[in-house]
Amino acid sequence: MYAASFRRLASGVAFLATGGAVLSLTSSDKDLPVVESLKRTLGDPTASVPSRSVQVSALSGASLTNPLDILVIGGGATGSGVALDAATRGLRVGLVERDDFSSGTSSRSTKLIHGGVRYLEKAVFNLDYGQLRLVFHALEERKQLIENAPHLCRALPCMTPCFSWFEVVYFWMGLKMYDLVAGPRLLHLSRYYSAKQSVELFPTLASKGKDKSTTLTGTVVYYDGQMNDSRVNVGLACTAALAGASVLNHAEVVSLIRDDVTKRVIGARIRSNLSGQEFDTYAKVVVNAAGPFCDSVRKMADGESKPMICPSSGVHIVLPDYYSPQGMGLIVPKTKDGRVVFMLPWLGKTVAGTTDSPTSITALPKPREDEIQFILDTITDYLNIKVRRTDVLSAWSGIRPLAMDPTAKNTENMSRDHIVLEDCPGLVTITGGKWTTYRSMAEDAVDAAIKSGKLKPRIDCVTQKLQIVGSYGWDPSSFAALAQQYVRMKKTHGGETVPGTMDTAAAKHLSHAYGSMADRVATIAQEEGLGKRLAHGHPFLEAEVAYCARNEYCESAVDFIARRCRIAFLDTNAAEQALKRVVEILASEHKWDKSRQLQELKMAKEFLQTFKSSDKAHLQQQQEA
């Protein structure tokens, strides 16, 4: 068996070598002047996104005689990427999202920016050139994403435990192939660590195998990227707005408008889910980037359209920081049912997942208890500490929109790549793919929209070299300047405003969450008395609520606790403790009355019920009993 495995690996090396030559990528520098102009806009520390009312006016003002070039439906990673790509090409663009930017799948990922080690394994063992192309493509985009949002993305080493010398050689060869495929896009070289070195790097790693009959031989460590996914997504939407796109969250498409004669889609009826106002907006092309809900949009245009989404549930849990060291992740390469499970440090906690199960499409998916237990059981086999259900601080489920081409004759295999389709004139659908490749997915969708609408962009795609807002002028040491230059003025229970230090934890958090815009948040904390922490044990400040309301289209309490800061995902109970103050600050910013404040508290608490922390799970068990 071992000999056969090594023969397949050897043949894979030759296969990789040929693939690498074919997939050599080059880029043109002809659009650099445009990129430099955009950089000046995005790097302006005083730049502000247009207000919500301005965006509503721009969308409602797009008429049949003066339409948008492109209307994007969906504000996830791909939809926001499409809006940014199209706007930077000089097109007139609008985007609507029925909930919030990144409210769906894009905020519920494993937080990895990866090429796909599993796909590489399939490429080698099956000599599958299609899988190899996916890996090359994703590794190219991995490097670009990290460079385009450096404050929100970083390289992360991931440790693969080996309990025999065969596993050491097998994984070492496989991960060296991963390095080889990455080529100039390599983050860092993979390497082997002895059992002693491995335990020093990862103290909670088990020294015995799950059956206790094998001993840890060593580990192979490789590098992928990690990100704060929803903040990257919000950054994309705000960057698109600064580049000229009219982006609007909490705005739902209730119907599509079609030309009576040609039957081409020419616009949409939009309803604001905040005010209830409805209006029509027109566009030469509509891009459907609604993720798991893209079939619903397609059926608005054609009730007979064949489904192209096969939804899959991915569950993750968050555990305390002591489960993993802050600088090292752990990968379980093969679980009892063939899945891969990661355990990664993330924003001061440990995130573990994921599952891959068929599911139904719903706006607020909930993790099943058996899926949570599966993850706990899997990581138990690789740790030397007791893994407890009571340690789960938060758990969530995301829906992966695995795509089928409805025009294909054979639909047995779901595509892990993306699909761009125009099965109804004027409606271009983009779906499938993964977070890592959002930018190239957006580029393909805009190319298809340009062809469909015979649009005339001023320039070609420039997003490969375009950083998002907050990236320009940011440096890994920026937190030190924040700590030196600012204090956190905060109000006591007696109403007195007193100074507090801008400690390292708060400064690092602001620097990495907001990049070069962190100074503006720190200024609010210092000058407006909003320097208090929102929850004990977490670095999130009251000033962030005000900043996000003014500069990031934060329109609800859930927008803040789930997408602008990540406290709902990190610690559900802490998020609930912070809610009252979050609502108070948003009420001041948005002029909410008491009724709206109560409504916000109610909706946020209902939202947090879908994050099955240990307390929530215990309460649910009591109710069911």
Side-chain angles (χ1 to χ4, degrees):
M1 179 185 72
Y2 291 174
S5 296
F6 284 123
R7 281 197 300 271
R8 287 196 294 269
L9 280 169
S11 64
V13 172
F15 176 58
L16 288 170
T18 58
V22 173
L23 287 169
S24 176
L25 296 174
T26 59
S27 60
S28 170
D29 293 332
K30 68 177 183 177
D31 296 321
L32 278 178
V34 176
V35 175
E36 291 303 315
S37 176
L38 285 167
K39 282 171 64 175
R40 284 193 293 272
T41 300
L42 299 175
D44 182 355
T46 64
S48 294
V49 295
S51 68
R52 182 176 179 85
S53 60
V54 168
Q55 304 291 46
V56 170
S57 297
L59 287 166
S60 60
S63 64
L64 190 58
T65 56
N66 185 28
L68 300 168
D69 289 313
I70 296 175
L71 173 67
V72 185
I73 302 174
T78 305
S80 297
V82 170
L84 177 58
D85 187 308
T88 53
R89 297 199 206 193
L91 297 172
R92 189 179 171 206
V93 185
L95 178 148
V96 290
E97 160 59 49
R98 73 175 181 181
D99 193 344
D100 183 28
F101 308 119
S102 197
S103 58
T105 305
S106 296
S107 63
R108 296 166 180 262
S109 73
T110 308
K111 323 305 177 194
L112 280 177
I113 313 166
H114 62 99
V117 173
R118 288 176 298 165
Y119 307 146
L120 179 61
E121 186 179 30
K122 290 178 183 177
V124 170
F125 281 90
N126 301 329
L127 299 182
D128 185 338
Y129 184 65
Q131 293 283 352
L132 180 62
R133 287 183 61 88
L134 281 177
V135 178
F136 267 97
H137 178 66
L139 287 171
E140 170 72 18
E141 293 300 320
R142 179 187 71 174
K143 182 80 169 185
Q144 291 302 138
L145 178 50
I146 294 173
E147 290 178 354
N148 288 343
H151 58 299
L152 295 166
C153 306
R154 62 169 182 149
L156 177 71
C158 295
M159 181 176 281
T160 307
C162 305
F163 292 92
S164 69
W165 282 109
F166 168 73
E167 288 187 347
V168 169
V169 176
Y170 180 82
F171 289 125
W172 183 87
M173 288 183 66
L175 293 169
K176 283 300 176 184
M177 286 185 187
Y178 198 54
D179 293 348
L180 174 66
V181 172
R185 301 168 290 277
L186 181 70
L187 299 178
H188 298 284
L189 281 169
S190 59
R191 62 164 294 181
Y192 165 77
Y193 288 96
S194 68
K196 181 181 178 182
Q197 291 172 319
S198 300
V199 172
E200 288 174 353
L201 289 169
F202 205 114
T204 54
L205 182 65
S207 58
K208 293 286 186 181
K210 56 186 175 183
D211 56 2
K212 305 304 178 185
S213 63
T214 55
T215 302
L216 182 69
T217 308
T219 60
V220 182
V221 173
Y222 75 100
Y223 285 78
D224 259 327
Q226 189 180 50
M227 64 177 167
N228 187 338
D229 51 6
S230 74
R231 285 215 54 83
V232 175
N233 197 157
V234 170
L236 288 169
C238 292
T239 304
L242 288 169
S246 301
V247 301
L248 193 66
N249 55 352
H250 301 284
E252 184 172 359
V253 172
V254 294
S255 62
L256 294 175
I257 303 170
R258 299 182 70 178
D259 185 274
D260 292 335
V261 178
T262 65
K263 302 304 179 185
R264 181 179 177 86
V265 174
I266 56 172
R269 180 77 174 172
I270 311 296
R271 178 177 62 234
S272 167
N273 288 332
L274 298 179
S275 68
Q277 172 194 3
E278 291 192 7
F279 59 87
D280 291 336
T281 189
Y282 291 86
K284 297 172 184 175
V285 185
V286 175
V287 173
N288 173 15
F293 300 95
C294 75
D295 281 340
S296 300
V297 176
R298 292 172 61 239
K299 285 186 179 296
M300 288 182 187
D302 179 5
E304 302 299 318
S305 61
K306 295 179 181 179
M308 62 185 299
I309 293 297
C310 182
S312 172
S313 169
V315 172
H316 297 82
I317 63 174
V318 170
L319 299 162
D321 58 351
Y322 54 73
Y323 272 82
S324 64
Q326 282 307 299
M328 183 71 70
L330 183 75
I331 175 173
V332 179
K334 191 153 289 187
T335 62
K336 58 188 176 184
D337 61 355
R339 306 177 194 174
V340 172
V341 168
F342 292 91
M343 194 173 80
L344 312 167
W346 184 64
L347 299 183
K349 304 295 181 186
T350 299
V351 61
T354 181
T355 61
D356 189 0
S357 311
T359 188
S360 57
I361 297 175
T362 177
L364 277 180
K366 299 179 183 179
R368 297 198 315 266
E369 195 61 35
D370 64 308
E371 293 177 306
I372 294 172
Q373 197 59 51
F374 168 82
I375 297 171
L376 292 171
D377 290 344
T378 299
I379 63 175
T380 295
D381 294 335
Y382 291 85
L383 299 179
N384 61 18
I385 60 173
K386 188 175 181 181
V387 178
R388 307 177 301 184
R389 177 62 177 89
T390 53
D391 284 341
V392 176
L393 301 172
S394 183
W396 71 87
S397 176
I399 301 174
R400 297 188 194 93
L402 300 181
M404 306 179 290
D405 186 342
T407 63
K409 293 181 180 179
N410 184 352
T411 58
E412 290 180 1
N413 295 319
M414 299 300 108
S415 174
R416 292 283 176 171
D417 200 356
H418 63 274
I419 292 174
V420 180
L421 178 74
E422 185 179 12
D423 54 352
C424 180
L427 180 67
V428 172
T429 295
I430 171 77
T431 193
K434 57 183 178 179
W435 232 119
T436 307
T437 59
Y438 87 89
R439 191 211 62 81
S440 62
M441 290 170 64
E443 182 179 352
D444 289 348
V446 175
D447 287 344
I450 289 169
K451 182 178 179 182
S452 171
K454 298 181 174 57
L455 307 179
K456 296 179 179 179
R458 290 201 301 267
I459 59 171
D460 294 333
C461 176
V462 296
T463 54
Q464 193 171 38
K465 297 181 178 180
L466 187 70
Q467 292 185 316
I468 70 170
V469 64
S471 299
Y472 296 101
W474 180 82
D475 183 87
S477 64
S478 295
F479 74 93
L482 286 174
Q484 290 177 338
Q485 294 173 18
Y486 294 93
V487 295
R488 297 188 294 116
M489 302 298 291
K490 51 191 180 181
K491 290 183 179 178
T492 63
H493 290 295
E496 182 185 2
T497 301
V498 296
T501 60
M502 183 65 75
D503 55 274
T504 302
K508 280 188 174 180
H509 159 64
L510 292 180
S511 175
H512 284 282
Y514 301 94
S516 58
M517 296 299 175
D519 285 292
R520 294 171 68 172
V521 187
T523 298
I524 294 172
Q526 179 170 286
E527 296 182 357
E528 300 182 30
L530 294 174
K532 202 170 182 179
R533 279 189 165 87
L534 288 167
H536 178 71
H538 293 271
F540 309 114
L541 304 182
E542 293 175 336
E544 295 177 61
V545 187
Y547 174 83
C548 293
R550 298 170 195 175
N551 298 282
E552 293 187 353
Y553 300 114
C554 179
E555 304 292 339
S556 74
V558 173
D559 287 357
F560 183 79
I561 63 172
R563 271 89 59 175
R564 302 310 182 281
C565 91
R566 310 311 307 278
I567 194 167
F569 284 79
L570 291 166
D571 188 335
T572 307
N573 295 335
E576 196 158 347
Q577 293 166 18
L579 264 182
K580 184 173 182 292
R581 187 59 181 142
V582 169
V583 170
E584 287 175 355
I585 298 170
L586 287 175
S588 175
E589 294 294 325
H590 293 314
K591 306 297 184 280
W592 291 344
D593 58 19
K594 285 292 183 183
S595 174
R596 174 66 187 274
Q597 292 178 51
L598 291 173
Q599 181 187 14
E600 284 290 328
L601 282 169
K602 179 175 181 290
M603 289 191 301
K605 288 179 180 179
E606 289 174 352
F607 174 80
L608 289 174
Q609 290 294 327
T610 67
F611 288 70
K612 291 189 177 181
S613 67
S614 55
D615 287 356
K616 297 290 185 294
H618 180 65
L619 180 62
Q620 182 177 345
Q621 288 169 359
Q622 285 183 328
Q623 292 172 340
E624 290 174 351

